[in-house]
Amino acid sequence: MNKLLIVDDSSTMRKIIMRVLRQAEISVDNILEAGNGVEGMQQLASHPDVGLVLSDVNMPEMNGLEFVKAIRKSHAKDKLPIIMVTTESGQGLLTNALEEGANGFVCKPFTPETIRSALEPFVG
Amino acid sequence: MDDHQARAAGALADDLRASVQQVLATMVEGGCDCLGADAAAPEARLHAQVEFQGAHRGVLSVVCDESGAEDLARGLLMLGPDDPLGPEEVADALKECANMVAGVLKTRAFGSDGDARLSVPRLQSAPAPAGAFLWRVRGGTMAVALRRDS
């Protein structure tokens, strides 16, 4: 995979995800970061070759569900895989996210194996 | 407090301990130990809170002294003792720890579809609440408490 975008308002969580991606031996050439959905949309506009998005749900300014909706409204991004990485595992929330167009979930706290399983269908 | 309320409070305390254990054991390099009630609470230098909103209102607090917060951040980020670590990274790590504990607790205590919403974590200057559970994380001490408002 060329580029992966991590969207989370916690810089700690973004670093943890990057570390776990390495532990899970998921090969990514370039990892981009954003602190909320607005910044995430800006990154996607600047980097149209992003191949996968990992997004938190509970974020200020534009939350994860709004971010997924905004991505799916963009015709160029209607097939971009999006995995939600969230502390909230409520069935209602997960269903909402899937309806908005998310492709999968990882619940925090997570292990490298959990991340690998969630990302495997989308990475080479 | 009647028997029913006492049992509910005990079950919630068990859920809180299990939630902290799950987060620290999964995410913090080096693991953690739950300390006894006679352990000294950390001096509150950093205090992260997450509010429970909706039907189950309350506040989850995670409190560390300076070295405890740094140890927690280094454990989460898998950093060695000499790796650079700034105060903003330490504060953010404490907030993220509180966020994860609150998320696990919400599911354990109120069910995956329970009417509880979590706020974005924030830092407070208040001391550790009474009745906090204490954990040894690497060399430091961390206190975790839940105040129920409903």
Side-chain angles (χ1 to χ4, degrees):
Chain A
M1 167 166 308
N2 290 331
K3 288 183 183 171
L4 180 148
L5 173 62
I6 301 172
V7 186
D8 197 305
D9 56 323
S10 165
S11 64
T12 300
M13 185 49 64
R14 297 198 301 268
K15 288 172 188 165
I16 290 171
I17 291 172
M18 284 189 262
R19 180 249 292 172
V20 169
L21 289 172
R22 285 194 298 273
Q23 287 179 313
E25 297 176 340
I26 292 171
S27 175
V28 180
D29 294 337
N30 195 357
I31 297 178
L32 305 171
E33 297 180 57
N36 57 52
V38 173
E39 293 178 13
M41 290 305 292
Q42 291 166 351
Q43 286 281 39
L44 290 174
S46 303
H47 302 273
D49 54 342
V50 167
L52 178 63
V53 174
L54 299 182
S55 177
D56 186 19
V57 173
N58 194 10
M59 296 184 290
E61 213 161 330
M62 180 191 283
N63 69 33
L65 293 181
E66 294 164 338
F67 179 47
V68 172
K69 196 184 290 188
I71 291 174
R72 293 304 180 226
K73 272 188 183 168
S74 163
H75 292 303
K77 304 292 180 195
D78 58 353
K79 298 285 191 289
L80 177 64
I82 307 168
I83 306 293
M84 310 307 289
V85 183
T86 175
T87 56
E88 305 226 22
S89 58
Q91 194 59 45
L93 174 75
L94 304 188
T95 302
N96 282 347
L98 289 173
E99 285 174 356
E100 296 296 353
N103 299 89
F105 291 93
V106 173
C107 288
K108 306 173 194 173
F110 49 74
T111 64
E113 189 50 48
T114 311
I115 291 279
R116 195 203 323 266
S117 298
L119 269 57
E120 226 159 31
F122 308 105
V123 297
Chain B
M1 184 183 294
D2 62 26
D3 283 353
H4 175 72
Q5 288 172 322
R7 278 196 300 276
L12 190 59
D14 290 343
D15 284 332
L16 177 58
R17 276 193 294 262
S19 301
V20 176
Q21 177 72 33
Q22 183 179 339
V23 169
L24 296 181
T26 307
M27 301 298 286
V28 177
E29 187 189 39
C32 59
D33 295 306
C34 188
L35 301 175
D38 55 341
E43 186 183 347
R45 292 292 180 153
L46 281 168
H47 182 163
Q49 286 188 338
V50 175
E51 284 179 35
F52 284 75
Q53 301 158 342
H56 301 284
R57 291 197 302 276
V59 178
L60 176 88
S61 294
V62 177
V63 183
C64 286
D65 57 21
E66 215 160 296
S67 69
E70 188 175 319
D71 285 336
L72 176 67
R74 288 187 184 282
L76 279 169
L77 295 168
M78 291 184 74
L79 298 176
D82 298 325
D83 291 324
L85 181 70
E88 286 182 6
E89 292 171 290
V90 173
D92 190 73
L94 192 70
K95 287 195 292 183
E96 187 53 37
C97 181
N99 189 42
M100 287 190 283
V101 171
V104 175
L105 177 63
K106 176 188 160 187
T107 302
R108 280 183 181 272
F110 310 126
S112 60
D113 285 322
D115 180 17
R117 296 183 302 279
L118 302 180
S119 72
V120 172
R122 64 177 188 275
L123 291 178
Q124 293 291 307
S125 56
F133 295 114
L134 302 178
W135 299 80
R136 175 78 64 201
V137 182
R138 292 188 165 185
T141 306
M142 182 177 91
V144 182
L146 178 69
R147 187 193 78 213
R148 288 298 305 275
D149 295 333
S150 65

